[in-house]
Amino acid sequence: MASSPRDQHHPGPFSLNKYHVSEEYGFVLPAPLVDLPQYYQPWMQIARQLTELIDSHSLRSEVHKMPQLDTCYLQTHKELRLAHLALSLLTMGYVWQEGEEGTVKVLPQNLAVPYWEVSQRLGLPPILTHADGVLANWRKTNPEGPFEMENLELILTLPGGDSVRGFFLVTLLVELAAVPGVKAIPRVINSMLQQDKQTVQAGLNDITQALKSMTEAIRLMHAHVDPAVFYGIMRLYLSGWKDNPLMAEGLVYEGVHTEPLQYSGGSAAQSSLLHCFDELLGVQHEPESGAFLTRMRDYMPPMHKQLVQDISSGPSLRQYVLDAADPELTQAFSSCVSQLLSLRSYHINIVSRFITIPAARARQLKNRSEGPAEALSRAPVALEERGTGGSGIMNFLKSVRDRTKEVSIPPATL
């Protein structure tokens, strides 16, 4: 790993610029491209018709007819990100077109080889990630208009209609709500090194407010995502081929490796936001949850992962606050931890509504021979209590929440 930019002998150098994190958009890709050069239209044409082709059970045959394109004409970072998004969606559609009973063992060479090459150039895995579906999959309807649901649309989508749009775009708004908090991280770190308590405290207050704004943004899920559609249709297309009993061996990327490879599906744990806040506040996760979260960092753009690691290897904010023994600073730190705890508790409520409750309802439907042909009755049985990233989701989220409580500093320590 590269040395931390916060070495004691070089105070105040910590800056977001080197990590491909923007002052305005945070981890979100600013103004993603919406189309690729003409040569790559075979990918884009199929990606734009993905839902219709899956519904007509013809996506796989269309992929088989696709020419194998050379990736050398993709020249910019934004071209590569759009290519990765398009090829990711083609791959998820190809694998899951026939549901949990009709998975494939091999991704054909004309898709697998260019997908692998684009992934290698970006340092991302060859599967749909948060960096694709959320960070690089948006455009404003009116470029001059606000960042609000009514003025946003996806560049490419998956089966699930308006709920897919809602799920990805609400998550985008959570990322954007966090930006003032992300921007505060360098200020906090640099101010610690300069023994500037007031600026540390102000930065902590900004992070607390950002965590509050993130929680408010997550509430929009209720208005924009139908739990039955999320659980019964969308989740399958976000699922991967690691820790997934439906594809226990993984997937062979033809022309790349002869052995099957395993990759986790999309997960909120692939967002760099809470990793950064956890590392700054000193949250220590229990071994199993911690191992999953660490593995999810391999699904982030490499410079975002580097930022998380560099925050981790810097000075301990919690120790700084303890050493300072300043009641106002301690209060600012504890308020920040409390707000992170509130966000995690609310996320558990969301997961209950979108996974646990629909899972119980789906079991009821499957037990009835006359079960209706609705979204829930189509839900994959094997994924019942698992997140799309492969975690046993409720135990994982409760463990993460409980470990967050432990970093708070009780007033009695002053």
mmCIF file of all heavy atoms in Angstrom, residues 75-95:
data_model
loop_
_atom_site.group_PDB
_atom_site.id
_atom_site.type_symbol
_atom_site.label_atom_id
_atom_site.label_comp_id
_atom_site.label_asym_id
_atom_site.label_seq_id
_atom_site.Cartn_x
_atom_site.Cartn_y
_atom_site.Cartn_z
ATOM 1 N N GLN A 75 -10.986 5.393 -24.822
ATOM 2 C CA GLN A 75 -9.794 6.171 -24.477
ATOM 3 C C GLN A 75 -9.892 6.925 -23.163
ATOM 4 O O GLN A 75 -8.890 7.128 -22.497
ATOM 5 C CB GLN A 75 -9.477 7.126 -25.628
ATOM 6 C CG GLN A 75 -9.051 6.352 -26.872
ATOM 7 C CD GLN A 75 -8.847 7.250 -28.078
ATOM 8 O OE1 GLN A 75 -9.298 8.391 -28.097
ATOM 9 N NE2 GLN A 75 -8.180 6.730 -29.085
ATOM 10 N N THR A 76 -11.093 7.348 -22.776
ATOM 11 C CA THR A 76 -11.204 8.172 -21.571
ATOM 12 C C THR A 76 -11.784 7.360 -20.411
ATOM 13 O O THR A 76 -12.399 6.305 -20.609
ATOM 14 C CB THR A 76 -12.114 9.391 -21.814
ATOM 15 O OG1 THR A 76 -13.466 8.926 -21.996
ATOM 16 C CG2 THR A 76 -11.673 10.169 -23.052
ATOM 17 N N HIS A 77 -11.578 7.888 -19.211
ATOM 18 C CA HIS A 77 -12.130 7.238 -18.018
ATOM 19 C C HIS A 77 -13.651 7.121 -18.122
ATOM 20 O O HIS A 77 -14.230 6.068 -17.800
ATOM 21 C CB HIS A 77 -11.748 8.044 -16.767
ATOM 22 C CG HIS A 77 -12.280 7.464 -15.496
ATOM 23 N ND1 HIS A 77 -11.761 6.322 -14.915
ATOM 24 C CD2 HIS A 77 -13.319 7.844 -14.691
ATOM 25 C CE1 HIS A 77 -12.433 6.029 -13.817
ATOM 26 N NE2 HIS A 77 -13.376 6.938 -13.651
ATOM 27 N N LYS A 78 -14.303 8.171 -18.602
ATOM 28 C CA LYS A 78 -15.770 8.136 -18.683
ATOM 29 C C LYS A 78 -16.253 7.140 -19.744
ATOM 30 O O LYS A 78 -17.303 6.511 -19.561
ATOM 31 C CB LYS A 78 -16.327 9.539 -18.953
ATOM 32 C CG LYS A 78 -16.239 10.445 -17.733
ATOM 33 C CD LYS A 78 -16.911 11.778 -17.963
ATOM 34 C CE LYS A 78 -16.853 12.639 -16.695
ATOM 35 N NZ LYS A 78 -17.507 13.943 -16.886
ATOM 36 N N GLU A 79 -15.510 6.985 -20.829
ATOM 37 C CA GLU A 79 -15.864 5.954 -21.812
ATOM 38 C C GLU A 79 -15.758 4.569 -21.190
ATOM 39 O O GLU A 79 -16.633 3.714 -21.366
ATOM 40 C CB GLU A 79 -14.962 6.050 -23.041
ATOM 41 C CG GLU A 79 -15.300 7.191 -23.971
ATOM 42 C CD GLU A 79 -14.380 7.278 -25.180
ATOM 43 O OE1 GLU A 79 -13.326 6.607 -25.199
ATOM 44 O OE2 GLU A 79 -14.716 8.027 -26.114
ATOM 45 N N LEU A 80 -14.694 4.360 -20.442
ATOM 46 C CA LEU A 80 -14.502 3.057 -19.790
ATOM 47 C C LEU A 80 -15.605 2.784 -18.762
ATOM 48 O O LEU A 80 -16.100 1.651 -18.654
ATOM 49 C CB LEU A 80 -13.126 2.993 -19.118
ATOM 50 C CG LEU A 80 -11.932 2.873 -20.071
ATOM 51 C CD1 LEU A 80 -10.626 3.187 -19.339
ATOM 52 C CD2 LEU A 80 -11.865 1.476 -20.698
ATOM 53 N N ARG A 81 -16.015 3.813 -18.025
ATOM 54 C CA ARG A 81 -17.067 3.620 -17.010
ATOM 55 C C ARG A 81 -18.400 3.259 -17.670
ATOM 56 O O ARG A 81 -19.134 2.389 -17.177
ATOM 57 C CB ARG A 81 -17.202 4.874 -16.135
ATOM 58 C CG ARG A 81 -16.028 5.134 -15.204
ATOM 59 C CD ARG A 81 -15.896 4.141 -14.071
ATOM 60 N NE ARG A 81 -16.929 4.279 -13.058
ATOM 61 C CZ ARG A 81 -16.857 5.105 -12.013
ATOM 62 N NH1 ARG A 81 -15.793 5.877 -11.833
ATOM 63 N NH2 ARG A 81 -17.833 5.147 -11.131
ATOM 64 N N LEU A 82 -18.729 3.931 -18.777
ATOM 65 C CA LEU A 82 -19.985 3.594 -19.461
ATOM 66 C C LEU A 82 -19.901 2.195 -20.079
ATOM 67 O O LEU A 82 -20.868 1.431 -20.039
ATOM 68 C CB LEU A 82 -20.320 4.644 -20.525
ATOM 69 C CG LEU A 82 -21.595 4.383 -21.336
ATOM 70 C CD1 LEU A 82 -22.815 4.201 -20.429
ATOM 71 C CD2 LEU A 82 -21.845 5.516 -22.340
ATOM 72 N N ALA A 83 -18.746 1.847 -20.646
ATOM 73 C CA ALA A 83 -18.564 0.505 -21.201
ATOM 74 C C ALA A 83 -18.731 -0.539 -20.101
ATOM 75 O O ALA A 83 -19.392 -1.571 -20.292
ATOM 76 C CB ALA A 83 -17.187 0.382 -21.852
ATOM 77 N N HIS A 84 -18.155 -0.273 -18.933
ATOM 78 C CA HIS A 84 -18.261 -1.233 -17.821
ATOM 79 C C HIS A 84 -19.710 -1.371 -17.365
ATOM 80 O O HIS A 84 -20.185 -2.491 -17.099
ATOM 81 C CB HIS A 84 -17.373 -0.795 -16.652
ATOM 82 C CG HIS A 84 -17.071 -1.894 -15.685
ATOM 83 N ND1 HIS A 84 -17.882 -2.186 -14.610
ATOM 84 C CD2 HIS A 84 -16.064 -2.809 -15.642
ATOM 85 C CE1 HIS A 84 -17.379 -3.217 -13.931
ATOM 86 N NE2 HIS A 84 -16.267 -3.602 -14.533
ATOM 87 N N LEU A 85 -20.433 -0.260 -17.307
ATOM 88 C CA LEU A 85 -21.849 -0.301 -16.941
ATOM 89 C C LEU A 85 -22.635 -1.139 -17.948
ATOM 90 O O LEU A 85 -23.400 -2.038 -17.570
ATOM 91 C CB LEU A 85 -22.414 1.128 -16.874
ATOM 92 C CG LEU A 85 -23.928 1.253 -16.746
ATOM 93 C CD1 LEU A 85 -24.426 0.667 -15.428
ATOM 94 C CD2 LEU A 85 -24.357 2.728 -16.871
ATOM 95 N N ALA A 86 -22.443 -0.854 -19.239
ATOM 96 C CA ALA A 86 -23.198 -1.567 -20.279
ATOM 97 C C ALA A 86 -22.878 -3.063 -20.264
ATOM 98 O O ALA A 86 -23.782 -3.911 -20.288
ATOM 99 C CB ALA A 86 -22.889 -0.970 -21.658
ATOM 100 N N LEU A 87 -21.595 -3.408 -20.195
ATOM 101 C CA LEU A 87 -21.194 -4.822 -20.207
ATOM 102 C C LEU A 87 -21.624 -5.526 -18.917
ATOM 103 O O LEU A 87 -21.943 -6.722 -18.928
ATOM 104 C CB LEU A 87 -19.676 -4.936 -20.413
ATOM 105 C CG LEU A 87 -19.179 -4.436 -21.784
ATOM 106 C CD1 LEU A 87 -17.649 -4.355 -21.805
ATOM 107 C CD2 LEU A 87 -19.683 -5.312 -22.918
ATOM 108 N N SER A 88 -21.644 -4.791 -17.809
ATOM 109 C CA SER A 88 -22.138 -5.359 -16.547
ATOM 110 C C SER A 88 -23.605 -5.739 -16.662
ATOM 111 O O SER A 88 -24.022 -6.827 -16.237
ATOM 112 C CB SER A 88 -21.964 -4.360 -15.397
ATOM 113 O OG SER A 88 -20.606 -4.099 -15.134
ATOM 114 N N LEU A 89 -24.407 -4.840 -17.224
ATOM 115 C CA LEU A 89 -25.836 -5.115 -17.354
ATOM 116 C C LEU A 89 -26.079 -6.260 -18.332
ATOM 117 O O LEU A 89 -26.952 -7.114 -18.094
ATOM 118 C CB LEU A 89 -26.590 -3.857 -17.775
ATOM 119 C CG LEU A 89 -26.573 -2.719 -16.743
ATOM 120 C CD1 LEU A 89 -27.353 -1.519 -17.249
ATOM 121 C CD2 LEU A 89 -27.160 -3.171 -15.417
ATOM 122 N N LEU A 90 -25.323 -6.299 -19.427
ATOM 123 C CA LEU A 90 -25.445 -7.423 -20.364
ATOM 124 C C LEU A 90 -25.130 -8.739 -19.648
ATOM 125 O O LEU A 90 -25.803 -9.755 -19.853
ATOM 126 C CB LEU A 90 -24.481 -7.257 -21.548
ATOM 127 C CG LEU A 90 -24.749 -6.129 -22.542
ATOM 128 C CD1 LEU A 90 -23.781 -6.215 -23.717
ATOM 129 C CD2 LEU A 90 -26.173 -6.175 -23.064
ATOM 130 N N THR A 91 -24.106 -8.711 -18.807
ATOM 131 C CA THR A 91 -23.694 -9.924 -18.093
ATOM 132 C C THR A 91 -24.758 -10.359 -17.088
ATOM 133 O O THR A 91 -25.116 -11.548 -17.025
ATOM 134 C CB THR A 91 -22.337 -9.689 -17.403
ATOM 135 O OG1 THR A 91 -21.349 -9.430 -18.410
ATOM 136 C CG2 THR A 91 -21.918 -10.890 -16.574
ATOM 137 N N MET A 92 -25.275 -9.419 -16.278
ATOM 138 C CA MET A 92 -26.313 -9.780 -15.303
ATOM 139 C C MET A 92 -27.548 -10.320 -16.024
ATOM 140 O O MET A 92 -28.140 -11.327 -15.599
ATOM 141 C CB MET A 92 -26.702 -8.566 -14.447
ATOM 142 C CG MET A 92 -25.566 -7.945 -13.636
ATOM 143 S SD MET A 92 -24.475 -9.104 -12.821
ATOM 144 C CE MET A 92 -24.877 -8.865 -11.107
ATOM 145 N N GLY A 93 -27.920 -9.673 -17.116
ATOM 146 C CA GLY A 93 -29.076 -10.140 -17.881
ATOM 147 C C GLY A 93 -28.839 -11.515 -18.484
ATOM 148 O O GLY A 93 -29.722 -12.387 -18.471
ATOM 149 N N TYR A 94 -27.638 -11.731 -19.005
ATOM 150 C CA TYR A 94 -27.302 -13.014 -19.638
ATOM 151 C C TYR A 94 -27.363 -14.143 -18.613
ATOM 152 O O TYR A 94 -27.936 -15.201 -18.866
ATOM 153 C CB TYR A 94 -25.898 -12.938 -20.253
ATOM 154 C CG TYR A 94 -25.528 -14.158 -21.067
ATOM 155 C CD1 TYR A 94 -25.791 -14.199 -22.436
ATOM 156 C CD2 TYR A 94 -24.936 -15.269 -20.470
ATOM 157 C CE1 TYR A 94 -25.465 -15.320 -23.190
ATOM 158 C CE2 TYR A 94 -24.616 -16.398 -21.211
ATOM 159 C CZ TYR A 94 -24.877 -16.417 -22.575
ATOM 160 O OH TYR A 94 -24.575 -17.536 -23.310
ATOM 161 N N VAL A 95 -26.782 -13.906 -17.447
ATOM 162 C CA VAL A 95 -26.723 -14.955 -16.416
ATOM 163 C C VAL A 95 -28.109 -15.271 -15.865
ATOM 164 O O VAL A 95 -28.476 -16.437 -15.695
ATOM 165 C CB VAL A 95 -25.767 -14.527 -15.276
ATOM 166 C CG1 VAL A 95 -25.899 -15.454 -14.069
ATOM 167 C CG2 VAL A 95 -24.324 -14.502 -15.770
#
